[in-house]
Amino acid sequence: MRWLGSLHAEWTKLRTLPSTWWLLAATVVLTAAIGAAAASSVTTRICPSPCHAPNTVKLSLSGIQLSQAICLVLGTLSIGGEYATGTIRTTLTAMPGRWRVLASKAATLSALTAVAGALAVLSALALARLILPTPPNTDASLRAAGGSILVLVLVTLLGLSLATLLRDTSGAITLGLGVLYVVPLLSQLLNSPTWRHRLQHWGPMPTSLPTDLWPGLGVLAAYAVGLLVVGGAAFRLRDA
């Protein structure tokens, strides 16, 4: 019953925040719009007919690269906003079990992001099917769709983890954006093949979004879950 009460409390807090729905809607719209724009840019010169399925899937889901930043913000605001307003003290007074509070936040965020991610990915693939001369095949689409949804969920949890550790929304967002975009950029700029390989394979973000990303997803999951555990330990030991 305590777990149900905690989940219900976190769900109530999330659904009553206007920013939650704006961010989720932006995730869907941005993913679909960028995917449609990328698909519309295809010409027979760029992609001779018939287009290769992996290329068309990658084009249609290219919006994931930007919409993951919105999910990062969603994750950081879920607890960073409470620290900023001081309502975290009220939360912990009502629900003293800190691990339970954090786990409930993670569960509700994951569920909401998964639903929004599914809508975003399906919309992007549906638009690409209408626009591209050769639509993506079903198998490639399903693999990429599942992987892309998981990326969005894990990035949301990464935002939650960073905000829990730093107790600062702006700091968590800045660090998270660096993880999402600066680290992959550095991997392309390094002259050392060894370090380039290490960053590409052991950095927190998959370098092959949104196709062929399953090994990278495991690394991202390790970062997100690992930081969530570290953040949970700090959350439990520190004063609110």
Side-chain angles (χ1 to χ4, degrees):
M1 293 300 294
R2 289 183 178 180
W3 279 102
L4 289 177
S6 182
L7 286 168
H8 183 266
E10 294 303 326
W11 161 243
T12 300
K13 282 188 285 186
L14 275 177
R15 70 178 176 81
T16 54
L17 284 174
S19 60
T20 298
W21 302 109
W22 282 111
L23 290 169
L24 292 173
T27 299
V28 176
V29 172
L30 186 65
T31 302
I34 293 179
S40 300
S41 68
V42 173
T43 64
T44 54
R45 179 176 60 84
I46 297 174
C47 182
S49 184
C51 292
H52 295 294
N55 293 334
T56 60
V57 172
K58 186 173 183 177
L59 277 173
S60 60
L61 295 179
S62 55
I64 296 293
Q65 294 279 4
L66 288 180
S67 58
Q68 62 188 1
I70 301 174
C71 292
L72 175 79
V73 173
L74 175 65
T76 58
L77 286 178
S78 65
I79 194 168
E82 291 193 61
Y83 275 115
T85 59
T87 54
I88 188 67
R89 297 184 184 90
T90 305
T91 295
L92 295 178
T93 299
M95 296 177 291
R98 299 194 178 198
W99 279 109
R100 187 166 61 249
V101 169
L102 189 60
S104 297
K105 284 184 182 293
T108 51
L109 278 171
S110 297
L112 281 174
T113 307
V115 172
L119 288 174
V121 167
L122 291 175
S123 299
L125 290 174
L127 287 172
R129 188 171 291 274
L130 294 174
I131 295 169
L132 290 172
T134 301
N137 70 44
T138 303
D139 289 341
S141 298
L142 288 176
R143 288 194 300 271
S148 297
I149 294 168
L150 282 175
V151 165
L152 295 180
V153 171
L154 291 171
V155 168
T156 303
L157 294 179
L158 183 66
L160 172 64
S161 305
L162 292 174
T164 304
L165 274 171
L166 300 179
R167 297 190 288 187
D168 179 71
T169 302
S170 59
I173 291 174
T174 301
L175 181 57
L177 290 176
V179 167
L180 294 182
Y181 301 111
V182 176
V183 172
L185 179 62
L186 284 176
S187 70
Q188 301 298 323
L189 297 177
L190 289 175
N191 290 325
S192 169
T194 301
W195 280 104
R196 187 185 306 122
H197 179 272
R198 287 174 180 173
L199 275 180
Q200 288 177 342
H201 288 79
W202 298 108
M205 286 306 299
T207 58
S208 55
L209 285 172
T211 55
D212 300 326
L213 49 68
W214 295 103
L217 268 175
V219 177
L220 175 59
Y223 276 97
V225 175
L227 283 173
L228 193 61
V229 171
V230 174
F235 186 50
R236 185 174 183 274
L237 295 174
R238 295 184 305 203
D239 293 333

